[in-house]
Amino acid sequence: MGGCGPWARPELLVLLGSAWLWVGSAHPTPPGPTLAPGPQLRFRLAGYPRKHNEGRVEVFYNDEWGTVCDDDFTLGNAHVLCRHLGFVAATGWAHSAKYGKGVGRIWLDNVNCAGTEKSIGDCKHRGWGNSDCSHEEDAGVVCKDERIPGFKDSNVIETEQSHVEEVRLRPVVSGGRRQLPVTEGIVEVRYKDSWAQICDQGWDSHNSRVVCGMMGFPAEKKVNRNFYRLFTERQQLNYRLHSVSCTGMEVHLSMCSFEFYRGNSSAACGAGMPAVVSCVPGPLFTTGSAHKKKQRQQQQQQQGQPRIRLKGGARVGEGRVEVLKSSEWGTICDDRWNLQSASVVCRELGFGSAKEALTGARMGQGTGPIHLNEVQCRGTEKSLWNCPFRNITQEDCKHSEDAAVRCNIPYMGYENLIRLSGGRSRFEGRVEVAVGAGDGDQPRWGLVCGEGWGTLEAMVACRQLGLGFANHGLQETWYWDASNVTEMVMSGVKCAGHEMSLSHCQHHGASLSCRNTGTRFAAGVICSETASDLLLHAPLVQETAYIEDRPLHMLYCAAEENCLASSARLANWPYGHRRLLRFSSQIHNRGRADFRPKAGRHSWVWHECHRHYHSMDIFTHYDILTPNGTKVAEGHKASFCLEDTECEEDVAKRYECANFGEQGITVGCWDLYRHDIDCQWIDITDVKPGNYILQVVINPNFEVAESDFTNNAMKCNCKYDGHRIWVHSCHIGDAFSEEANKRFEQYPGQLNNQIS
């Protein structure tokens, strides 16, 4: 294992997919009748493709490169273009300059191909150079990774010379070779089977900024070139690139202008030296106590809390973009959302440049207001709020258009310290972790004790593995012993859920304590690329809350299910009553996977009194708290029926409780618990008059995995005078700013005054 782990190869690799493909027509037949006289068409993929077979399409016509507009673009168009590029077919296409905006002419617009044409010129279009588009509408294609047999590139030499796939920072400072992340070193590019350097003549801070962004760092800093000059004088160098010139706005080195050395480059860069870069890590990746102290001081100096955050992402540095405006968190509409704006978000949050600018609520739909639309950053802004944008109107956008990002983050090697074994797929198995892998030692693999292992711990394990969200955390595993690892090496693991590695969670360290040490009792996980996300509809609680004095003779079933305060056991049954705060709760699934009970139907518990099954013993907690957080009354609700009560338009119901049906909540649907059903209340018989907080928490024990647990709590202010109750200011727990949350319980609103 020594050659695979971070202890043996600490260099930071970043895949660069921006391959410039200069190719001729796949079918060298004479151009169709719509072609004007001129040179033969040539085609290439440009921009920021993640692979060699996708990117922005550029056409060489009339001695000038230009792009294709996405108006009326179809998969048929993509098929024809991919064949021009030497691929057998297309698998998809991209609009709105997904691969970055081109420059120069827009040669084609309103292209309409059937898909069988031999040339793009045979397709219907508005005419060469006749377009009403901007480069924000440049089309891209995704081609099937299968070449046309016998296809010959007309520019094979140029293609080979212009291909850049990987870049790394090679650390040379003593001690820097083992420490991750690598923040400083010589910039090198992959060339054939080795690495080559970049001549630093003309190299400036803009170039360094682009490289640091690719490596996952928000900023660059000056470097001691004299030290590196002395070091490199004794090295055998192989220069590959020179005359690199970036503006600082690029998300990728291959989007900058540069030139390649040709032939023997051993004598190149005579007056220069290899380009060296030093990067500033973000707060999450800062190493050393001095660095961390400085970072904390800088953060404290910033006024208030951050005004931007990511939500709903499985991995560090990805998620739906949310911004704080007028003390309320909201989302951004994806109109004109691109890599430059996404990179500003990423750097502002302490990550590098953006890998992807995601549209169409790819990280789940948000709630609350949509604050911004048509954000248009140049890429050099310090904050998203410095970018031009348009304020939203009600007709502009829906939450199905929420923008999201995936950021470049530093390579930490955490994924090399964990693995799964025995599972039916790579997404499941028994968790094995590596210990004792420091200072060049070979790692020792072992198991994690299953005691106390749950969803939060499984979330961290799946994140560390790079496998998305946790579907289940298993305390007992029946997987095949595929790796012959039997020793427990970690116990007492307790995670908050946001950690990047299991080693960052609380655990027993070297003092292992595990009652059952057999492999059957080792922790396991089942991971998933998607997860549900439940939210309570706060306004409905506020609108439906009221007090009912309910006779004890009507509460026998409720008492059996522990839905009353403990003092009810001392009451003079069946005489007297209990005072109940009742309200409806409407629970929405805004995630990307259905919410399903952890237990299957075979293990649901039948409750004779109410005559229904419980698929989850505790689905929600209801609490009355004093303003300082002391609990004065509590209740809970079992999920005796998780079903799709109503759904959004175009979403079909999938779950229904009738006839012992499957239970769950479909994405885009909600489950309604009406105020007039048993246990949909809090027993406030013993609560004295005063000001209180009503808190409702969904999935309180984290029994079912979700993409975001921070929005599972809802809070309201309550004013109770002993006879009536006023419920107001209901909101999801993380919907407002910290300052607004501190103020909210003192607001003397009177929005509800119902009593029965």
Side-chain angles (χ1 to χ4, degrees), residues 538-683:
L540 185 64
V541 175
Q542 186 167 301
E543 294 163 8
T544 57
Y546 64 95
I547 286 176
E548 178 190 11
D549 289 336
R550 193 164 182 83
L552 283 173
H553 69 83
M554 301 176 69
L555 292 172
Y556 280 104
C557 284
E560 181 186 292
E561 296 197 19
N562 295 317
C563 294
L564 302 175
S566 57
S567 62
R569 289 195 292 267
L570 306 176
N572 185 24
W573 292 76
Y575 308 106
H577 67 270
R578 303 297 293 181
R579 176 157 290 184
L580 309 175
L581 170 59
R582 308 193 72 142
F583 51 87
S584 297
S585 62
Q586 185 173 296
I587 297 161
H588 292 245
N589 183 1
R590 304 301 292 268
R592 290 183 289 151
D594 295 354
F595 184 92
R596 299 294 309 277
K598 184 177 180 180
R601 279 191 291 186
H602 64 281
S603 58
W604 293 354
V605 179
W606 174 256
H607 284 254
E608 181 64 30
C609 195
H610 279 131
R611 301 196 63 77
H612 58 233
Y613 286 93
H614 283 188
S615 57
M616 291 174 66
D617 283 337
I618 297 180
F619 179 53
T620 47
H621 273 170
Y622 307 140
D623 298 308
I624 297 290
L625 312 171
T626 63
N628 67 6
T630 303
K631 192 182 297 184
V632 295
E634 63 182 38
H636 73 271
K637 183 71 180 169
S639 66
F640 61 80
C641 179
L642 277 176
E643 68 176 358
D644 298 327
T645 308
E646 295 290 341
C647 297
E648 295 173 2
E649 190 177 351
D650 299 328
V651 178
K653 297 180 182 180
R654 297 182 60 187
Y655 302 105
E656 188 176 8
C657 298
N659 301 318
F660 196 44
E662 290 287 352
Q663 293 193 20
I665 306 176
T666 304
V667 175
C669 299
W670 55 89
D671 187 12
L672 176 64
Y673 285 90
R674 287 175 50 90
H675 57 84
D676 54 0
I677 63 174
D678 262 10
C679 297
Q680 188 59 41
W681 64 56
I682 303 177
D683 184 349

